[in-house]
Amino acid sequence: MTDVVTVTVASTRGSVPRDAGTFMEVGTTQVHGTIGGGALEYEAIRLARQMIHDGSAAMERVFPLGPDLGQCCGGSVTLSFAMGAGQAETTAPPLWIWGAGHVGRAIGHVMAPFADREITIVDTTPDRMPQDLPDCVAPMVAADPVRAVPHAPASADHIIVTYSHDLDLALCDALLRRGFGSCGLIGSATKWARFRRRLASMGHADAQIARIACPIGNPALGKHPQAIAVGVAAALISPMADKAIGDRTG
């Protein structure tokens, strides 16, 4: 969006829909993101579009949610309005998704709206890369994805969901040598048992191998790509993500 106002939750008091730092971008016809919906968001969108129309300067305004807007939260929100697109405050580690198939792209779509981390999705050819990725998901085409591993930050979270078991294994090996924040691998218990043996034969200690979580997601949700993505996202945003995706402390 070219004519755009970024509306940011600058501060909060009491019970409110979203925390400080949350933002949305408001254009003349589109809105990206949300500050919690309801009457607060409706009024913020109205004011932002008025700013675009008038060419107004930045401003800040306090909204008591009960008296002014008829919302039952009961707290108050201070919103800042600034011309131009905002930048997400990346507070979570970068996420690297290895494989742009149905599961990989589903994870990218589910994680993108949180806008709290840089997301990279990697695959081997341009035709394997989906054209409808969210703006905040960066595509990387690498004929040999293993050679891209050193470009990932050592603190990154990784989800391995490629089309090839051999490539999955090579990425597990490379990431164990590189280091990572957390790592999850798609697969069955049988696949993981075989991978554990292979990784041990490559010289990796059992404690390090155990840092890779397999399977990923929540088996109770089923095997549909979106169900897997929801389970992965829940693990990544949970305070217990270290246990669900792969222990960071190894």
Side-chain angles (χ1 to χ4, degrees):
M1 294 184 286
T2 51
D3 292 328
V4 60
V5 168
T6 298
V7 182
T8 304
V9 178
S11 63
T12 66
R13 185 165 58 88
S15 178
V16 296
R18 299 295 300 273
D19 296 329
T22 303
F23 71 91
M24 66 179 180
E25 296 173 348
V26 180
T28 54
T29 61
Q30 294 178 300
V31 177
H32 292 174
T34 177
I35 57 169
L40 171 67
E41 187 164 302
Y42 181 85
E43 179 64 7
I45 291 170
R46 186 190 70 78
L47 290 171
R49 287 180 173 156
Q50 189 65 48
M51 282 181 64
I52 294 172
H53 180 270
D54 298 342
S56 303
M59 65 176 183
E60 193 168 273
R61 185 167 296 186
V62 179
F63 295 84
L65 298 184
D68 283 6
L69 298 175
Q71 294 188 207
C72 60
C73 297
S76 66
V77 175
T78 301
L79 297 181
S80 66
F81 296 76
M83 295 296 296
Q87 297 292 324
E89 295 185 10
T90 54
T91 58
L95 174 62
W96 283 56
I97 304 168
W98 301 89
H102 294 300
V103 175
R105 67 186 68 179
I107 294 170
H109 279 281
V110 171
M111 290 300 300
F114 290 99
D116 64 345
R117 67 175 78 215
E118 297 175 353
I119 303 175
T120 302
I121 188 165
V122 186
D123 217 316
T124 53
T125 60
D127 61 290
R128 295 189 63 85
M129 194 64 67
Q131 300 302 308
D132 62 343
L133 288 174
D135 292 341
C136 62
V137 178
M140 177 184 289
V141 175
D144 180 4
V146 174
R147 296 182 64 181
V149 167
H151 296 281
S155 62
D157 294 321
H158 298 268
I159 302 293
I160 302 173
V161 287
T162 82
Y163 62 88
S164 164
H165 282 204
D166 288 343
L167 180 54
D168 287 351
L169 179 66
L171 286 167
C172 287
D173 173 48
L175 286 169
L176 284 169
R177 298 181 192 281
R178 163 65 173 159
F180 53 77
S182 71
C183 183
L185 168 70
I186 196 168
S188 63
T190 300
K191 173 182 175 179
W192 183 228
R194 185 168 66 251
F195 271 40
R196 286 201 307 268
R197 291 192 297 270
R198 294 283 301 279
L199 291 168
S201 73
M202 295 174 180
H204 299 291
D206 289 346
Q208 287 299 100
I209 296 170
R211 296 189 63 216
I212 299 175
C214 182
I216 55 172
N218 181 348
L221 298 177
K223 297 182 179 180
H224 189 283
Q226 288 296 133
I228 295 171
V230 168
V232 168
L236 284 168
I237 67 175
S238 166
M240 293 300 291
D242 294 351
K243 301 303 179 185
I245 296 297
D247 193 347
R248 293 175 179 277
T249 61

